[in-house]
Amino acid sequence: MSTAAHVVVVGAGVTGLLTAVACARAGHRVTVLERGPLPNPDATSHDQHRALRTLLPGDPDGTARRLAAHRHWEDLETLFGTPLHRRVGTLTAHPAERVDALLAEAAGAGVPVDLPAPDALPPLGLPPGTVGVRERTGGVLLADRVLRAAARWLTARPGVALRPHSTVRSVFTGSGRIVLDTGEVLRGDLALLAGGPWTRRLADSPVTLYRQTMLYLGRPDGAVVGGSGPGDSGSSPGGDRWDDAPAAGGLGRAGRGWVLPPGAGTLLKLSSDTVCRPVADTDSRGEDQQPYLDRLAAEGVLPDLERYPVAGVRVCHYTADTATGGPLLTRVSPGLWTRAACGGSGFSTAPLVAERIAEAVKEEA
Ligand SMILES: Cc1cc2nc3c(=O)[nH]c(=O)nc-3n(C[C@H](O)[C@H](O)[C@H](O)COP(=O)(O)OP(=O)(O)OC[C@H]3O[C@@H](n4cnc5c(N)ncnc54)[C@H](O)[C@@H]3O)c2cc1C
């Protein structure tokens, strides 16, 4: 393979687009095949926000990888010249007796944390006996803005072909040949299948498909909305304390609920791992969401949930490694890689996949 390789990326979600960016920056020719418009509103990545977390208790290597991902996000923000990230931190409820050990672990890993007073936060359903530990790094990635900014950057880049409405029908895993539904056949020096939860249709992998129901909320009744710029700290005279609120997890009676705060034009979003269920396919038409919404309401993720106007409900899918429940990036054969599963942190860690694929192009040269 010559120094400048041809990389084919299937799927223009965050994984595909950031991989295309990394490969184009390394001087390679890149073709991105996306079955829908680009960005595609049906992609898992196409949402208002995704959490950018740092600390993985008991997993120093994982924490180090996430710190590396943070540096990539800073770099991408500079490259794209647009804000992608609200630096509001992330708060997780931990059992009080574990907090000292956690603070020591965070200090050792170089992750700044603090314990905000409850009255400095909006009302959150911290389970009894827990303490909210806030990581000052991380916060909220403005997901759909990331996709738009990456697509814009790629459009202007010589050597990059963005091909919306190009559905890949099949992939020969031995030869790496990619067949479009028009019958056109492509073969790059390296290909990445990054079709999100639909990747499993193209290459067999041991993954489980999950569906999750998410609830979007307006500001609580009577609150006055603050500023609208990313990282905006505009005050809210109504005093709802959401303006600079962190993303929060470990909430509700089961300790499995989470919220992403409103800001920079996004809504407040709420869900819980308890409404995440394995499913056979991504077709959720005809599925009644009410039982899942009832379960979310009963969990106490936000203790005063009735004060928040409901702005929308969305169903979303992701795949996880059946054995570990985590992500999966696999080299299927020489020159063919799949992002078979993204797990629950696939958005924030996409720059690490992009970096790995750019390295693989060099290795396979
Ligand atoms: C409810 C929920 C909450 C989440 N929260 C977080 C979070 O807080 N933090 C975090 O980091 N991650 C989170 N994630 C995970 C994250 O959103 C995903 O891992 C990530 O967006 C996956 O991106 P992707 O690019 O791999 O796939 P996708 O975004 O799904 O993109 C795949 C693209 O491939 C295209 N495609 C599929 N098949 C074909 C084909 N045959 N031919 C051509 N194109 C094709 C699709 O149209 C799509 O545009 C969450 C996921 C869910 C479901």
Side-chain angles (χ1 to χ4, degrees), residues 51-114:
L52 176 59
R53 299 189 179 83
T54 317
L55 251 190
L56 279 174
D59 181 358
D61 292 344
T63 299
R65 278 196 297 280
R66 288 194 174 182
L67 280 170
H70 284 236
R71 290 190 288 275
H72 281 290
W73 283 110
E74 301 291 330
D75 174 48
L76 288 167
E77 214 169 40
T78 307
L79 181 73
F80 297 156
T82 188
L84 304 175
H85 177 192
R86 294 187 65 230
R87 291 166 178 74
V88 288
T90 57
L91 179 125
T92 308
H94 291 280
E97 67 277 10
R98 282 208 228 132
V99 167
D100 281 344
L102 194 74
L103 296 182
E105 192 177 339
V111 178
V113 293
D114 64 5

Side-chain angles (χ1 to χ4, degrees), residues 208-267:
T208 303
L209 177 69
Y210 292 97
R211 182 177 299 155
Q212 187 152 0
T213 303
M214 301 180 291
L215 183 59
Y216 295 77
L217 303 166
R219 294 283 181 133
D221 289 342
V224 178
V225 177
S228 62
D232 198 316
S233 59
S235 66
S236 173
D240 72 5
R241 288 178 267 151
W242 277 107
D243 282 328
D244 285 324
L251 305 178
R253 270 176 270 288
R256 297 176 68 193
W258 49 261
V259 290
L260 291 185
T266 71
L267 293 159

Side-chain angles (χ1 to χ4, degrees), residues 10-16 33-36 40 42-46 49-53 141 166-169 194-199 202 212 214 258 260 316-318 339 342-349:
V10 178
V14 69
T15 309
L33 303 167
E34 165 57 47
R35 64 180 177 174
N40 186 346
D42 291 336
T44 313
S45 308
H46 203 282
H49 27 41
R50 289 287 185 254
L52 176 59
R53 299 189 179 83
L141 289 162
S166 299
T167 302
V168 171
R169 188 208 305 156
W198 302 277
T199 304
L202 299 174
Q212 187 152 0
M214 301 180 291
W258 49 261
L260 291 185
C316 216
H317 295 89
Y318 71 95
R339 180 60 161 163
C342 288
S345 59
F347 198 100
S348 51
T349 55

